[in-house]
Amino acid sequence: MVTEFSRQSPRILELKQHVADLIAAGEVVQRPASVVKELIENSIDSGAGIITAEITTGGMTYIRVTDNGCGIAAEDVKTAFLRHATSKLRDALGLEAIGTLGFRGEALAAIAAVSRIELITREPGIDEGVCLNLEAGDVVNMSPVGCPEGTTIVVRDLFFNTPARLKFMKSDRAEGSAVASVVLRCALSRPDVSIRFIKDGKVEYHTPGDSRVDSCVYSLLGREVEAGFLSAESSDEVVSTQGFVSSQAASRGNRSYQFFFVNGRAIRSLLLQSALEQAYKNTLSAGRFPSCVLYINVRPSDVDVNVHPAKTEIKFISDKSVFDSVYYAAVGALERVDAIGGIIDNDFRSSFVSEPSRLYTSSTRNSQENTVSVSRLPISKKTVFDNPNQTNSELIAFSSELRTPAFRVIGEALNVYIIVEYHNSVWFIDKHAAHERLHFDALKNSDYVPMSESLITPVVCRLGHEEVSVLLENAEFLDKLGFSAERFGEDSIAIRHIPADIEISETESILSEISSQLGNNGIIESSNLDKIYKTIACKAAIKAGRSSDSRELESLAAKVMSGEVANCPHGRPVAFEITKTALDKGFGRI
Ligand code: ADP
Ligand code: MG
């Protein structure tokens, strides 16, 4: 279609203030969590030692943040809600040396534009406070009020005047979890400030504000995480890094406990993540990740925090010095523990920390209530394939149904390739790729009935608030995959059933991967669905490098030779043919 442009150019007009504010609001205020982040950051900037954040209904109808900071002078309260009004930055030079979390003067204006706000504030030493009410950015009331020193901001009915944005909100539970993770980051960023978070009337976090990182970590992440942390430190003239990194033994199945703070600001950064993980290289098994709470300090002029509207990304002048600082802090921590013999390596750990044992079921989950435990830990996957009474693997007992052409499995080479003679060719089949493809196709089939294993002891996966909510919202989908999940506290889920062919130790990393692909309220994009299926298919597939029994090889070969699979889900070929002619030529026969 060709668009016709009229010859007359459209008039260029300045946007009305409230339209400009709504557009700007969209950048800063995406969901309740972004409001809470901005309000807590303002409270931190105000010098407060005690901050309380409270939400109900995921923050959609009610958010309140109270602090005992410097307050706002009555004559400034209206100005604070104007765009680009800030007390923290005076000129462009100041941008080079920002020491506060805020500086753009955008947040209050942006929040006010899309909600109903009440601000109550009193400066220390001033007799009377002031109360200001705004609706969609317009002041509707301003009056003197008696109140404690400091500031309280209540934000009601977020996005009440932007219905389109309201539609993008997830469930209250998911929004509430996103708020919880924002508060957690803010609280971790400042162990010297006591932060309390109340959700639907219940205190979720309460940090002591005693300036100790360990007590802050303890109150936010729990005893177990705190106990697995080693103190880490490294500094030179340019960068200093301080905090905690996890011992190898305390690794996790995901990265949700990797916290980096640069000059007091919570930052997501691939650079910092890889610096940390590099320190654990070759000491953690695949799918295991270190955790950390690291405070990195650089000269304010050596970073640019102004690259992201929510300021959660950052640019360093010298990536290398920051990388090195984090890397050596972590390496130092691990080596110190090594030197005093305190470290427990992964293998040793797995031998004394008992893995939850699993019950193998011979059919789908629905019928497992009638199933008797076949054996207790440890049962290797091989046992299952070897057990003639089990139909655990979909690869077994199917060949009769297939129009399988005449082929002969010669054997397996290098524990990877199945060698098959077929007509006038020799075929090499990548057993992992083939199995993965079959599993992937099966998952995509709407009639797919998962083969689940029931775990005698549920696996508890600590994934983070947001991840847990998203997963539980999609419980039905998880069920279809063969997982059954139940809430286990705020940031964990207990898994009682897992798909038959996956390793228990991979449960957490698979669920973490699934949660990152899941969408709002059960809506999953098809490309993400494929990613989920690929992950499961890959994890469930028999592994290259491990020997397989002959029935496994036969059944895989039958499926491949019948033309059922051609490529693995990642697009690699599953089978590779060498014709007799090619062989004859190679040997100079023809
Ligand atoms: P910024 O934080 O980028 O300056 P905001 O829009 O978030 O912009 O806030 C505007 C101004 O309002 C701040 O610069 C500060 O002077 C004042 N302010 C906001 N929240 C508080 C608070 N809790 N205590 C004291 N002053 C505050
Ligand atoms: Mg601010």
Side-chain angles (χ1 to χ4, degrees):
M1 200 180 77
V2 179
T3 311
E4 295 257 337
F5 289 100
S6 80
R7 292 180 65 81
Q8 224 178 8
S9 57
R11 297 281 316 283
I12 300 172
L13 299 171
E14 212 176 324
L15 286 175
K16 289 227 166 57
Q17 188 56 47
H18 86 273
V19 180
D21 284 348
L22 280 182
I23 295 171
E27 280 179 31
V28 183
V29 185
Q30 281 152 1
R31 56 197 302 197
S34 25
V35 173
V36 173
K37 172 175 181 289
E38 294 293 341
L39 296 182
I40 294 184
E41 287 189 355
N42 279 346
S43 293
I44 290 176
D45 284 346
S46 79
I50 303 173
I51 300 171
T52 302
E54 183 172 357
I55 61 165
T56 53
T57 54
M60 290 307 302
T61 56
Y62 183 85
I63 296 170
R64 181 173 65 96
V65 174
T66 297
D67 65 54
N68 64 346
C70 67
I72 308 175
E75 61 266 32
D76 286 341
V77 285
K78 285 188 187 165
T79 319
F81 288 92
L82 298 179
R83 265 191 89 198
H84 306 304
T86 176
S87 57
K88 302 167 195 172
L89 185 65
R90 292 284 171 245
D91 51 33
L93 267 185
L95 251 186
E96 295 277 289
I98 288 161
T100 50
L101 295 168
F103 57 84
R104 295 171 189 232
E106 265 178 348
L108 288 188
I111 299 165
V114 291
S115 67
R116 300 187 169 96
I117 285 199
E118 181 163 76
L119 165 82
I120 296 170
T121 184
R122 180 159 74 94
E123 286 182 287
I126 304 287
D127 289 345
E128 205 171 44
V130 58
C131 172
L132 182 75
N133 293 87
L134 299 101
E135 248 178 60
D138 296 327
V139 174
V140 292
N141 167 61
M142 181 167 157
S143 51
V145 69
C147 62
E149 290 173 359
T151 303
T152 292
I153 297 191
V154 180
V155 178
R156 290 194 172 85
D157 306 328
L158 190 63
F159 303 131
F160 78 97
N161 56 341
T162 53
R165 188 155 280 272
L166 258 189
K167 286 204 200 102
F168 282 97
M169 294 302 113
K170 298 186 183 172
S171 66
D172 291 348
R173 179 161 246 184
E175 293 303 335
S177 299
V179 173
S181 32
V182 154
V183 178
L184 181 117
R185 283 190 157 69
C186 288
L188 266 184
S189 78
R190 292 295 294 262
D192 57 329
V193 179
S194 168
I195 295 189
R196 199 156 55 109
F197 175 51
I198 305 168
K199 196 168 98 180
D200 297 315
K202 186 172 156 252
V203 177
E204 297 278 328
Y205 303 131
H206 193 172
T207 60
D210 59 3
S211 300
R212 297 181 54 123
V213 181
D214 55 354
S215 54
C216 189
V217 165
Y218 182 100
S219 56
L220 294 165
L221 304 178
R223 187 178 56 82
E224 200 188 323
V225 173
E226 195 264 329
F229 269 160
L230 315 168
S231 65
E233 197 178 350
S234 136
S235 72
D236 57 30
E237 321 78 81
V238 189
V239 195
S240 78
T241 299
Q242 269 173 332
F244 290 101
V245 299
S246 57
S247 67
Q248 280 107 333
S251 68
R252 300 172 56 80
N254 60 61
R255 297 189 169 98
S256 60
Y257 283 2
Q258 292 185 359
F259 300 99
F260 298 100
F261 303 93
V262 176
N263 293 357
R265 213 180 279 281
I267 292 297
R268 291 177 206 279
S269 154
L270 280 179
L271 177 82
L272 302 179
Q273 177 190 309
S274 50
L276 172 76
E277 290 179 11
Q278 191 73 25
Y280 294 75
K281 201 161 173 263
N282 302 330
T283 62
L284 295 185
S285 48
R288 303 298 299 173
F289 302 96
S291 307
C292 71
V293 176
L294 288 176
Y295 304 89
I296 298 137
N297 281 299
V298 293
R299 277 192 305 257
S301 56
D302 285 349
V303 286
D304 184 356
V305 288
N306 203 11
V307 291
H308 186 268
K311 294 167 278 186
T312 50
E313 283 165 28
I314 203 163
K315 256 190 3 222
F316 296 103
I317 303 277
S318 166
D319 280 355
K320 183 165 186 324
S321 29
V322 178
F323 183 99
D324 285 352
S325 183
V326 169
Y327 173 74
Y328 286 114
V331 164
L334 296 171
E335 275 173 1
R336 260 198 314 282
V337 179
D338 232 358
I340 58 168
I343 201 115
I344 306 161
D345 76 19
N346 251 359
D347 288 347
F348 173 56
R349 185 173 190 263
S350 56
S351 66
F352 78 83
V353 175
S354 68
E355 280 237 308
S357 43
R358 63 204 320 187
L359 262 176
Y360 283 99
T361 58
S362 56
S363 63
T364 64
R365 174 133 55 81
N366 297 340
S367 61
Q368 86 213 340
E369 274 70 33
N370 308 325
T371 314
V372 183
S373 162
V374 256
S375 174
R376 283 215 151 212
L377 174 111
I379 308 171
S380 71
K381 196 155 273 159
K382 189 139 191 326
T383 319
V384 179
F385 285 122
D386 285 347
N387 185 341
N389 299 324
Q390 303 272 317
T391 51
N392 184 318
S393 169
E394 51 160 327
L395 299 175
I396 297 172
F398 62 87
S399 42
S400 57
E401 300 148 34
L402 287 169
R403 284 171 283 108
T404 314
F407 69 88
R408 184 168 69 92
V409 173
I410 296 170
E412 185 186 11
L414 309 170
N415 281 342
V416 181
Y417 303 108
I418 309 169
I419 306 172
V420 176
E421 181 187 324
Y422 175 56
H423 286 317
N424 272 333
S425 297
V426 178
W427 285 77
F428 291 83
I429 298 170
D430 178 328
K431 67 178 182 183
H432 171 79
H435 193 186
E436 190 181 355
R437 178 79 223 185
L438 287 167
H439 208 99
F440 178 72
D441 289 345
L443 282 164
K444 284 185 82 152
N445 188 332
S446 57
D447 299 334
Y448 178 70
V449 184
M451 189 88 71
S452 274
E453 284 161 18
S454 140
L455 307 178
I456 293 171
T457 317
V459 185
V460 174
C461 305
R462 196 158 183 186
L463 296 163
H465 279 70
E466 221 175 325
E467 290 81 357
V468 166
S469 291
V470 171
L471 287 171
L472 291 176
E473 263 172 35
N474 290 281
E476 216 172 288
F477 172 67
L478 288 184
D479 209 62
K480 187 191 167 235
L481 298 176
F483 292 98
S484 73
E486 284 160 35
R487 181 172 285 281
F488 192 82
E490 272 304 310
D491 60 357
S492 304
I493 46 178
I495 303 294
R496 296 191 184 278
H497 301 96
I498 60 174
D501 294 325
I502 73 160
E503 302 278 346
I504 294 178
S505 60
E506 293 194 302
T507 312
E508 189 165 317
S509 63
I510 294 177
L511 287 171
S512 159
E513 167 69 22
I514 293 175
S515 76
S516 68
Q517 306 293 345
L518 288 173
N520 292 355
N521 304 324
I523 304 160
I524 310 165
E525 280 183 28
S526 63
S527 60
N528 289 350
L529 205 54
D530 273 7
K531 281 189 203 149
I532 293 173
Y533 291 157
K534 275 180 203 167
T535 305
I536 295 188
C538 182
K539 302 284 188 196
I542 49 173
K543 303 282 181 286
R546 292 190 204 160
S547 72
S548 310
D549 80 28
S550 61
R551 270 171 312 147
E552 249 182 286
L553 301 179
E554 285 278 346
S555 47
L556 265 176
K559 291 215 165 187
V560 174
M561 300 318 289
S562 71
E564 215 173 295
V565 291
N567 293 311
C568 81
H570 305 286
R572 283 193 297 114
V574 157
F576 176 86
E577 177 186 11
I578 303 179
T579 60
K580 177 162 189 299
T581 316
L583 284 171
D584 286 348
K585 268 195 190 151
F587 286 103
R589 284 177 169 272
I590 51 170

